[in-house]
Amino acid sequence: MTENSLFQRANELREQLAHHLYRYHVLSDPIISDAEYDRLFDELVAIENSHPELITPDSPTQRAGSDLSEDFPKVQHPAPILSLSKALTIEELMAWEERTLKMLPSGTTLEYTLEPKLDGLTIVITYENGVLVRAATRGNAIIGDDVTANVRTIRTVPLRIPVSPDGPPAPEKLVVRGEIMFHKSDFEQLNEKQHESGLPPYINARNTASGTLKQKDSRITANRPLTAYLYGIVELRGKTLHTQWEMLTYLRDLGFRIAPDAALYPTLSDIIQQIPTWETRRNQLEYEIDGLVIKVNDLAVVRELGVVGKDPRSAIAYKFAAQEVTTRVLGVTPNVGRTGKLTPTAQLEPVFVAGVTVVNATMHNYKFIQALDVRLGDRVIIKRSGDVIPYVIGPVISARDGSETPILPPERCPFCDTPIIQPESAVDHFCPNPECPERVLRSIEFFVSRGAMDIEGMGPQTVKILIDKGFIKDEADIFYLKSESLLELEGFAEKKVENLLASIEKAKSRPLARFIAALGIDGVGNTVSPALTARFNSVAALSEASVEQIDDINGIGKVLAQNIVDWFKDDHHQTILNKMREAGVDPQSEQRIAIGDSLAGLTFVLTGTLPTMTREEAGELIQAHGGKVSSSVTKKTSYVLVGDSPGSKAEKAQTLDIPMIGEDDLRQMVNENSAPQPRLL
């Protein structure tokens, strides 16, 4: 860039950042994500570092942000409420420590505290002789808004300290710093109330917490389940503390809720080893975090290191990859699944989030779109957690310019032109045509997949080729494929065809439970199918079962029972089953041999990807030791077995206070040292 273009770009960035700071801190209504703001800020920092002559007094790089509002009285903090410098890589963490050690005497060694970087709203609370007298927002780091009346309504904020008579005596004056936020489950419940009241859901927990804390009517704040975590002392009279760890312990003993899962480590290397674990468990925590905070433990060293700009040299924030970003909806395509259910998928302006570039995101169903009022052309917030498919959280309404248009469900199926239906009381829209080419494709893909009939060599691309060539029109046709026909296809060599046909032949005698799950009956997966085959030992017996007989099975209700009966009554499905039987498909009834009874009386729910076994294998292990496996979390659930990237079941378990365990915990419970080996009789 030329010097003139750099000057123009720096001015553009300052204007954009000032606008976004105002929307974020003052209005609590941002139109871009934190990650996007950081990218703009970092670009300006890079320009100013390389060309210091371009720095202006009003540059956002020269001051901390401000959340001051004209609606509240102002409070001056006893000391600046500083922010933190950030690191995005391990190398940047190590460079930070190297810079720190250069400022200290040779041979100095440092220990550190590691705390989660809570994604909430900073609060500063003052106690005099043990009584809460004042609470303020961070404001501009020097002056904050007085929100005392609202903070008094937050039940995790003590009105008097110590909370317990066994706690340390109250100091003459104590000013503490912490974070106000919603727990994930509390935010969900808040949105459920919004839905019940016919109101739009809140999109972002942090912004909702900010808006809640700045209500003029404290009764509104009192009705919203905010939580406060405290992690620092701004001023303390009457007691001396020597380390950050001692400070956290002191705050806890006084009755404050301290930053959860904080830990003390002897070296930075020890902390670096913990980072992958934190990134993995991030989505399983009951609170939102966007990174980790690393602090020098020795407070004398902290004072010696001092401050640079607006950041203490003795602490740093390690930021995780952003999970939420904003982008624009360019279009919406309805996808049709094997059951006929329509799932709208948003086409997006490409955006980088959680390590990948995203161009599509699921929007669940059209009722979801309507509830959030997402429109074509909207700027929307999308989220990607772990390996979960990116999904749209909601629109940034403030960014609308009037050109946005409603998103409506199609009137006819885009693949077979059949009129779309929405069954009474149903959330989803459906293509009712069982012979819809897209439904057939998805059904066959599911039928041959690893978790179902496990036909090797028949992936999605092969299935599509066979359908396009007219070799298969339903699942049963797979068992009639001939070598001579397959060899005519491009890319189908003799050995490939031989292996494929051998796998198809092997699939004819799959276990009955797996076969039932592979049929794709809505609501019948690898948890329900074993329960069905324990009662009905053949496809024929299940086909003739009544709603009452199926409903009588533990864990299967009337709606699912009726769904199963209706599936088997369908003429199209009966034709497929008859064709399979004539082709020699003979699923085998299995009977598990009980290995032990260590899990007798316990009910487990499985979610996420386990480290060394599939969920089906975990279910077999549980059942072999007398336990039961259920598909949904209820108050009767004993444990939830959690793997990587768990879904809503883990969150519901937290809400119901149900213990969550990992694969190693399960093995310990059954005293097993290897994956289960199911045996058939």
Side-chain angles (χ1 to χ4, degrees), residues 108-391:
T108 299
T109 58
L110 297 173
E111 62 178 3
Y112 303 92
T113 61
L114 179 64
E115 303 168 38
K117 188 176 182 299
L118 303 169
D119 191 12
L121 179 74
T122 300
I123 194 72
V124 180
I125 310 174
T126 301
Y127 291 82
E128 294 180 357
N129 297 314
V131 178
L132 190 159
V133 296
R134 191 162 46 256
T137 65
R138 180 172 181 267
N140 62 9
I142 304 299
I143 296 173
D145 287 328
D146 190 330
V147 289
T148 307
N150 289 338
V151 169
R152 288 182 187 276
T153 70
I154 301 173
R155 294 176 182 175
T156 49
V157 175
L159 298 180
R160 179 182 288 274
I161 54 173
V163 172
S164 169
D166 298 329
E172 177 186 343
K173 184 176 182 180
L174 174 67
V175 183
V176 292
R177 174 180 178 173
E179 209 84 359
I180 300 289
M181 63 194 305
F182 285 106
H183 280 161
K184 293 176 182 177
S185 58
D186 290 334
F187 188 61
E188 286 182 3
Q189 290 175 11
L190 181 62
N191 270 334
E192 286 176 8
K193 291 181 179 178
Q194 287 289 103
H195 178 70
E196 291 168 0
S197 301
L199 299 172
Y202 297 107
I203 303 301
N204 180 283
R206 189 267 171 205
N207 295 330
T208 307
S210 176
T212 299
L213 197 61
K214 291 193 172 185
Q215 290 291 325
K216 294 181 181 179
D217 185 347
S218 61
R219 290 173 297 181
I220 297 176
T221 308
N223 286 326
R224 296 181 184 175
L226 290 172
T227 296
Y229 289 105
L230 283 299
Y231 52 76
I233 294 178
V234 181
E235 182 181 8
L236 175 62
R237 295 180 191 170
K239 185 174 178 62
T240 301
L241 300 172
H242 302 284
T243 66
Q244 171 69 14
W245 191 249
E246 185 183 359
M247 180 192 298
L248 291 175
T249 303
Y250 179 62
L251 290 173
R252 182 198 61 198
D253 292 346
L254 284 171
F256 295 105
R257 177 175 285 193
I258 66 166
D261 303 308
L264 177 65
Y265 290 96
T267 69
L268 183 64
S269 296
D270 292 306
I271 284 178
I272 289 172
Q273 293 175 33
Q274 300 300 315
I275 291 175
T277 301
W278 273 96
E279 290 179 322
T280 299
R281 63 191 286 248
R282 173 185 185 181
N283 298 313
Q284 301 171 25
L285 300 174
E286 65 177 349
Y287 46 86
E288 293 283 359
I289 65 171
D290 55 5
L292 300 169
V293 176
I294 300 152
K295 300 176 183 175
V296 171
N297 189 41
D298 190 325
L299 295 181
V301 173
V302 170
R303 290 188 290 272
E304 182 179 351
L305 288 170
V307 177
V308 56
K310 56 187 176 62
D311 307 324
R313 292 190 178 94
S314 59
I316 194 167
Y318 180 84
K319 297 291 290 288
F320 293 150
Q323 291 187 311
E324 292 185 14
V325 295
T326 63
T327 187
R328 199 166 298 281
V329 177
L330 303 178
V332 175
T333 300
N335 295 313
V336 178
R338 57 187 172 82
T339 64
K341 183 172 75 172
L342 268 64
T343 302
T345 299
Q347 284 76 58
L348 309 167
E349 284 184 353
V351 61
F352 192 75
V353 56
V356 300
T357 298
V358 171
V359 295
N360 296 305
T362 181
M363 297 181 77
H364 306 298
N365 53 61
Y366 287 94
K367 186 173 182 180
F368 172 85
I369 293 174
Q370 183 182 20
L372 292 181
D373 188 26
V374 179
R375 305 175 187 179
L376 281 177
D378 260 339
R379 176 164 287 277
V380 294
I381 302 170
I382 66 166
K383 183 168 185 174
R384 180 178 183 267
S385 304
D387 295 327
V388 176
I389 297 170
Y391 59 94

Side-chain angles (χ1 to χ4, degrees), residues 299-605:
L299 295 181
V301 173
V302 170
R303 290 188 290 272
E304 182 179 351
L305 288 170
V307 177
V308 56
K310 56 187 176 62
D311 307 324
R313 292 190 178 94
S314 59
I316 194 167
Y318 180 84
K319 297 291 290 288
F320 293 150
Q323 291 187 311
E324 292 185 14
V325 295
T326 63
T327 187
R328 199 166 298 281
V329 177
L330 303 178
V332 175
T333 300
N335 295 313
V336 178
R338 57 187 172 82
T339 64
K341 183 172 75 172
L342 268 64
T343 302
T345 299
Q347 284 76 58
L348 309 167
E349 284 184 353
V351 61
F352 192 75
V353 56
V356 300
T357 298
V358 171
V359 295
N360 296 305
T362 181
M363 297 181 77
H364 306 298
N365 53 61
Y366 287 94
K367 186 173 182 180
F368 172 85
I369 293 174
Q370 183 182 20
L372 292 181
D373 188 26
V374 179
R375 305 175 187 179
L376 281 177
D378 260 339
R379 176 164 287 277
V380 294
I381 302 170
I382 66 166
K383 183 168 185 174
R384 180 178 183 267
S385 304
D387 295 327
V388 176
I389 297 170
Y391 59 94
V392 175
I393 295 178
V396 184
I397 295 175
S398 307
R400 285 179 176 164
D401 60 14
S403 65
E404 299 79 12
T405 56
I407 299 170
L408 303 174
E411 294 182 357
R412 307 185 76 87
C413 174
F415 299 97
C416 69
D417 203 39
T418 301
I420 294 298
I421 64 170
Q422 185 179 24
E424 187 177 353
S425 301
V427 170
D428 298 298
H429 291 73
F430 290 85
C431 167
N433 178 15
E435 298 182 48
C436 169
E438 188 69 7
R439 285 188 62 177
V440 170
L441 171 63
R442 300 306 173 196
S443 295
I444 296 175
E445 283 180 352
F446 177 77
F447 184 77
V448 303
S449 64
R450 183 181 176 189
M453 295 298 276
D454 193 15
I455 299 179
E456 294 182 16
M458 205 166 186
Q461 187 174 359
T462 299
V463 169
K464 191 173 189 316
I465 291 172
L466 295 175
I467 290 176
D468 290 345
K469 293 295 182 180
F471 288 2
I472 58 175
K473 295 181 180 178
D474 56 41
E475 297 90 332
D477 287 340
I478 293 168
F479 300 100
Y480 291 88
L481 289 170
K482 301 296 182 185
S483 175
E484 53 270 25
S485 300
L486 294 172
L487 288 169
E488 296 175 1
L489 299 175
E490 184 178 350
F492 282 72
E494 186 171 341
K495 186 63 176 177
K496 178 178 179 178
V497 171
E498 181 183 326
N499 290 339
L500 175 58
L501 293 177
S503 185
I504 291 172
E505 187 63 30
K506 188 177 179 181
K508 290 181 178 179
S509 57
R510 289 280 185 247
L512 179 60
R514 178 175 285 195
F515 177 78
I516 296 299
L519 292 176
I521 305 170
D522 196 18
V524 178
N526 290 310
T527 299
V528 173
S529 58
L532 291 171
T533 56
R535 178 70 61 87
F536 307 101
N537 61 4
S538 69
V539 176
L542 182 56
S543 297
E544 297 169 1
S546 67
V547 171
E548 291 72 24
Q549 288 175 310
I550 298 175
D551 179 38
D552 189 49
I553 299 173
N554 184 36
I556 298 181
K558 281 187 170 57
V559 174
L560 179 54
Q562 185 66 58
N563 191 35
I564 295 168
V565 169
D566 290 345
W567 193 95
F568 281 103
K569 282 183 178 179
D570 182 85
D571 291 340
H572 177 69
H573 295 148
Q574 281 298 321
T575 298
I576 292 175
L577 292 174
N578 289 334
K579 283 172 62 178
M580 287 185 186
R581 185 168 56 252
E582 291 170 3
V585 177
D586 183 24
Q588 301 296 301
S589 178
E590 61 177 341
Q591 181 179 345
R592 291 180 180 80
I593 297 177
I595 299 173
D597 60 359
S598 58
L599 304 181
L602 301 178
T603 300
F604 295 77
V605 173

